[in-house]
């Protein structure tokens, strides 16, 4: 699903219908495949703070995290690999 927020090459992943355990396997794997400067967006039904803490601990400054939408029903986050 592409949105107005995404560039033509930026993947948008709506994980609201994916079980939480699968989300935590899929999202890091997709991020690991990003090239420097590339980004992806995730759409979730809650604030994904635990995921943010995971990325900060594993990737540090290599992962740039930007909230594009912050609830109350939908959160949209852009993850970008540092250039």
């Amino acid at each position: 699903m592409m949105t107005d927020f995404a560039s033509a090459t930026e993947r948008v992943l709506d994980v609201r219908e994916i079980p939480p355990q699968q989300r935590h396997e899929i999202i890091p794997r997709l991020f690991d495949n990003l090239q420097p400067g590339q980004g992806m967006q995730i759409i979730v039904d809650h604030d994904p703070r635990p995921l943010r803490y995971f990325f900060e601990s594993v990737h540090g400054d290599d992962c740039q995290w930007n909230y594009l939408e912050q609830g109350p029903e939908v959160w949209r986050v852009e993850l970008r690999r540092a250039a």
Side-chain angles (χ1 to χ4, degrees), residues 16-32:
R16 291 177 285 185
E17 299 298 320
I18 299 173
Q21 180 61 31
Q22 291 179 3
R23 294 178 191 183
H24 293 280
E25 294 173 5
I26 293 169
I27 296 168
R29 198 172 335 137
L30 291 174
F31 182 82
D32 288 343

Side-chain angles (χ1 to χ4, degrees), residues 4-73:
D4 294 338
F5 295 109
S7 71
T9 60
E10 189 169 86
R11 172 174 276 168
V12 177
L13 180 64
D14 185 340
V15 298
R16 291 177 285 185
E17 299 298 320
I18 299 173
Q21 180 61 31
Q22 291 179 3
R23 294 178 191 183
H24 293 280
E25 294 173 5
I26 293 169
I27 296 168
R29 198 172 335 137
L30 291 174
F31 182 82
D32 288 343
N33 288 321
L34 294 176
Q35 297 299 312
Q38 284 186 319
M40 61 183 265
Q41 292 181 27
I42 57 171
I43 301 170
V44 295
D45 56 6
H46 63 280
D47 188 348
R49 273 184 293 199
L51 186 63
R52 183 177 192 169
Y53 300 145
F54 167 81
F55 275 100
E56 287 175 351
S57 70
V58 172
H59 295 285
D61 291 339
D62 189 40
C63 178
Q64 300 167 346
W65 181 280
N66 182 35
Y67 283 101
L68 302 174
E69 190 173 343
Q70 293 184 324
E73 295 180 20

